[in-house]
Amino acid sequence: MATDAGPWQASVLTLFPEMFPGPLGMSLHGRALERGIWGLDARDIRAHATDRHRSVDDEPFGGGPGMVMRPDVVDSALHEAANAVDGPRPIIYLTPRGRPLEQARVRDLADGPGVILLCGRYEGVDQRVLDAWDVEETSIGDYVLSGGETAAMVLLDATVRLLPDVLGQADSLSDESFERGLLEYPHYTRPACWTDRQGNDRLVPDVLTSGHHGRVAEWRNEQAEKITRERRPDLWRQLAEQDEKGQGR
Ligand code: ADE
């Protein structure tokens, strides 16, 4: 949160610091960065290499393909990043092996002072340095990216938009997907009748042009429930379990 302690601060440890801010320098996030609502410090892990070749990785013990990022190099980068900020921050390593990132964790991160993100390349990071720093391992989905940088951008995008004063008045959070445990209802705008390329007239659902706010709200809720049931039976079951425990919507 942007408090007296200063802006929400993201430190990103990466072999490609020039990838940042990238898309986070644009639009809402870019404006918030310029306004000092959040700060971004991309740090080059390679600056912590100690040998002649500036190597940051080595072959895996036990054999196998690929290379592993060295614990001493990553430790030095983490140490410097942790000392550059006031107070403790969660340290998150982006990896497909991590726990899936969810909106509830994103909200918690936005409520905190910031985050230190560790981006891996190659096969990953030596496990000992992750254990020593009690690093939280986080995945953004069940697919493999070529490095943690784009995953870090996803985490920062999702988190920074929740900081106070980043979204405009018009951008309501209350109805968006996951805020109530449901996916969001579908949206429509003018023209009320739109003809597609096959010549079909596609109309906006009548209820949305009825001017009846109660019926609109009811329809949107039905749609949100239907879409969640069909697309995300896992979320739907979670909601049903919460309802049974009396913690429902
Ligand atoms: N690095 C590579 N793939 C990733 C994923 N799916 N999530 C987070 N970090 C990653």
Side-chain angles (χ1 to χ4, degrees):
M1 215 189 313
T3 61
D4 292 346
W8 194 90
Q9 183 67 35
S11 312
V12 182
L13 310 187
T14 167
L15 291 169
F16 299 97
E18 63 280 13
M19 284 174 79
F20 291 86
L24 298 171
M26 313 188 78
S27 187
L28 280 178
H29 296 71
R31 273 198 301 279
L33 199 52
E34 279 170 13
R35 287 164 58 208
I37 294 177
W38 70 296
L40 176 63
D41 181 21
R43 297 172 157 263
D44 190 357
I45 295 174
R46 198 174 295 279
H48 297 268
T50 50
D51 65 351
R52 231 165 20 100
H53 306 289
R54 303 188 74 212
S55 51
V56 294
D57 58 339
D58 210 328
E59 292 162 0
F61 279 121
M67 301 289 269
V68 177
M69 287 171 74
R70 293 169 54 120
D72 52 345
V73 174
V74 173
D75 172 74
S76 167
L78 283 171
H79 180 73
E80 193 187 74
N83 280 332
V85 289
D86 281 336
R89 301 272 187 283
I91 302 176
I92 298 181
Y93 168 48
L94 286 312
T95 165
R97 282 184 29 187
R99 283 187 212 282
L101 182 64
E102 292 181 352
Q103 190 70 12
R105 182 67 184 124
V106 168
R107 260 184 243 120
D108 283 349
L109 289 173
D111 284 341
V115 70
I116 296 175
L117 300 177
L118 173 61
C119 304
R121 287 267 152 178
Y122 318 116
E123 287 307 304
V125 175
D126 186 291
Q127 187 63 40
R128 291 167 296 176
V129 71
L130 300 176
D131 294 342
W133 283 85
D134 198 19
V135 169
E136 181 179 331
E137 299 188 39
T138 296
S139 164
I140 63 154
D142 291 342
Y143 38 79
V144 180
L145 304 167
S146 48
E149 286 78 7
T150 45
M153 288 176 195
V154 167
L155 184 150
L156 291 175
D157 179 340
T159 308
V160 167
R161 63 189 289 283
L162 300 186
L163 299 177
D165 302 328
V166 172
L167 292 186
Q169 289 273 306
D171 310 288
S172 162
L173 290 174
S174 59
D175 275 356
E176 71 180 23
S177 293
F178 309 114
E179 280 302 315
R180 295 180 306 134
L182 290 172
L183 301 182
E184 204 179 354
Y185 51 79
H187 300 278
Y188 299 87
T189 187
R190 280 187 279 275
C193 175
W194 169 67
T195 310
D196 71 19
R197 285 181 186 272
Q198 282 70 46
N200 305 307
D201 285 344
R202 293 178 177 262
L203 301 174
V204 169
D206 280 342
V207 60
L208 297 181
T209 52
S210 69
H212 195 298
H213 295 309
R215 280 180 33 218
V216 169
E218 201 179 314
W219 181 85
R220 285 181 168 163
N221 196 48
E222 281 163 18
Q223 290 291 312
E225 291 190 352
K226 177 169 179 278
I227 288 167
T228 308
R229 237 183 359 252
E230 286 170 4
R231 298 185 183 171
R232 293 293 302 274
D234 56 321
L235 284 182
W236 186 249
R237 265 195 306 277
Q238 251 179 44
L239 271 176
E241 282 163 20
Q242 279 170 18
D243 278 351
E244 273 167 32
K245 288 190 206 137
Q247 308 165 324
R249 285 155 277 166

